[in-house]
Amino acid sequence: MNVPFLDLKAAYRELRTELNAASRRVMESGWYILGEEIEAFEREFALYCGAKHCVGVGNGLDALILILRGYGIGPGDDVVVPANTYIASWLAVSYVGATPLPVEPNPETSNIDPDKIEDALTPRTKAIMAVHLYGQPAEMQKIVAIGRRHGLRVVEDAAQAHGAASQGGRTGNLGDGAGFSFYPTKNLGAFGDAGAVATNDDELADRIRVLRNYGSRAKYQNEVKGINSRLDPLQAAFLRVKLKHLDEWNERRQTIARRYLEELADVPDLKLPRAAEGAESCWHLFVVRHPRRDALQQHLKEAGIATLVHYPIPPHLSGAYAGSGWKLGDFPITEDLAATVLSLPIGPHLAAEAVMRIIGSLHEFNG
């Protein structure tokens, strides 16, 4: 039996009847850009997050870009970002013309270390982008307090954190604005690219609604230089179906995570993930660390178990930022994580037998 990293077809099979009905509803409506289906999803997802507003956009990167643009952040400005994150967090900052200010993670949680943020601030800093990496919420109370102390906006990159919570609040309701991705592999995944912004800021929500639609709120009346980044009604209909099942599917992930944490605790040299105090992960990824990561990954591959590395190349060492002056050794904690992390399967359709096989294979590894 081969164990896939994530079985997307199983998600469709479980919800086939509801998803097919949603597709027919949209196709028969004759309305294929914005409209009632989008508005319904925006209401439902805002309610789920506990936020006042949700604005559907084309993808998660656009969501982050539009938040920064909505707050007027651009050339000459700096934005604090985690050194350890997927490159999209940095790209959003670069796309608006601002400069990313990388901050090392807490090695225990892999998320940005709040205790290192203030040392990174410059007179040009306008915002802090906190990433809820792997579904583990960042330490938002500390980060928001820093933001308020210095007059900075706090942006959540919640692309991996649908349904995660911290200090009693859900992601999407912990900062000034949150960018979500609904890429198919996410806990709440569409069947193509899709994204959204959640916020309690009335003015930000209004600006993003204009910006996502060519800078227009009335046809042919373009108030600002906007872009075309609108959530597709068909994807919104699919997301409405999946949203009803999100908590249940997250609970399945949590059950698998608990099993891993209990039964892998004594595997030599294997470091298990840990959430910050008061945080509830949605376990988008279950990321372990091992000093012989590549050998471990090969061992699991030979056992028919698929794994992935999130992420092998830190943004500061990527070709995209080759001209920015960063070099190997500038962010040693981040670089160590890149060399040792390994993501185990944890999808909501992962069978119990497969989980036990993964656990057994990890115990068998001797390097």
Side-chain angles (χ1 to χ4, degrees), residues 4-62:
F5 185 75
L6 182 66
D7 188 352
L8 292 178
K9 290 186 289 186
Y12 172 68
R13 286 193 295 268
E14 180 176 343
L15 303 179
R16 179 188 290 114
T17 300
E18 294 175 76
L19 291 167
N20 288 348
S23 174
R24 286 194 300 272
R25 183 176 69 242
V26 173
M27 298 309 294
E28 291 173 359
S29 74
W31 195 282
Y32 307 127
I33 298 291
L34 297 178
E36 294 180 2
E37 200 71 49
I38 303 296
E39 293 167 4
F41 171 72
E42 290 174 340
R43 288 193 300 272
E44 291 161 11
F45 192 64
L47 181 64
Y48 180 83
C49 294
K52 287 179 66 176
H53 304 281
C54 168
V55 184
V57 298
N59 55 71
L61 176 56
D62 281 359

Side-chain angles (χ1 to χ4, degrees), residues 148-192:
R148 298 296 177 259
R149 191 154 59 242
H150 294 275
L152 308 175
R153 295 295 183 180
V154 177
V155 179
E156 295 177 76
D157 181 339
Q160 300 182 0
H162 314 76
S166 180
Q167 306 294 335
R170 274 193 172 141
T171 55
N173 189 29
L174 303 175
D176 293 306
F180 285 89
S181 166
F182 303 122
Y183 187 75
T185 60
K186 305 299 186 184
N187 291 40
L188 180 60
F191 289 83

Side-chain angles (χ1 to χ4, degrees), residues 193-211:
D193 273 322
V197 172
T199 183
N200 291 312
D201 186 331
D202 297 339
E203 293 183 2
L204 178 66
D206 182 66
R207 283 194 290 270
I208 291 176
R209 290 186 193 282
V210 173
L211 286 168

Side-chain angles (χ1 to χ4, degrees), residues 37-106:
E37 200 71 49
I38 303 296
E39 293 167 4
F41 171 72
E42 290 174 340
R43 288 193 300 272
E44 291 161 11
F45 192 64
L47 181 64
Y48 180 83
C49 294
K52 287 179 66 176
H53 304 281
C54 168
V55 184
V57 298
N59 55 71
L61 176 56
D62 281 359
L64 296 175
I65 290 168
L66 288 168
I67 293 171
L68 296 174
R69 282 198 61 187
Y71 280 130
I73 295 169
D77 297 331
D78 294 340
V79 177
V80 169
V81 294
N84 182 52
T85 184
Y86 182 55
I87 198 170
S89 311
W90 289 39
L91 291 177
V93 176
S94 298
Y95 189 85
V96 300
T99 300
L101 295 179
V103 171
E104 285 269 61
N106 178 334

Side-chain angles (χ1 to χ4, degrees), residues 236-252:
F238 293 147
L239 289 167
R240 293 181 68 196
V241 170
K242 283 191 165 186
L243 182 58
K244 297 174 186 177
H245 301 270
L246 178 57
D247 285 342
E248 179 193 347
W249 286 12
N250 280 348
E251 287 173 9
R252 295 181 196 176

Side-chain angles (χ1 to χ4, degrees), residues 280-340:
E280 181 181 332
S281 177
C282 67
W283 294 108
H284 173 60
L285 297 170
F286 191 93
V287 180
V288 300
R289 296 172 60 189
H290 198 283
R292 299 184 302 283
R293 186 268 311 283
D294 294 344
L296 176 58
Q297 185 174 36
Q298 182 61 30
H299 167 77
L300 293 171
K301 180 180 179 181
E302 290 171 359
I305 298 166
T307 60
L308 293 173
V309 175
H310 297 90
Y311 298 96
I313 303 173
H316 73 281
L317 298 180
S318 69
Y321 288 93
S324 300
W326 292 297
K327 62 184 183 304
L328 187 66
D330 283 347
F331 301 100
I333 300 174
T334 294
E335 292 164 18
D336 181 63
L337 287 170
T340 59

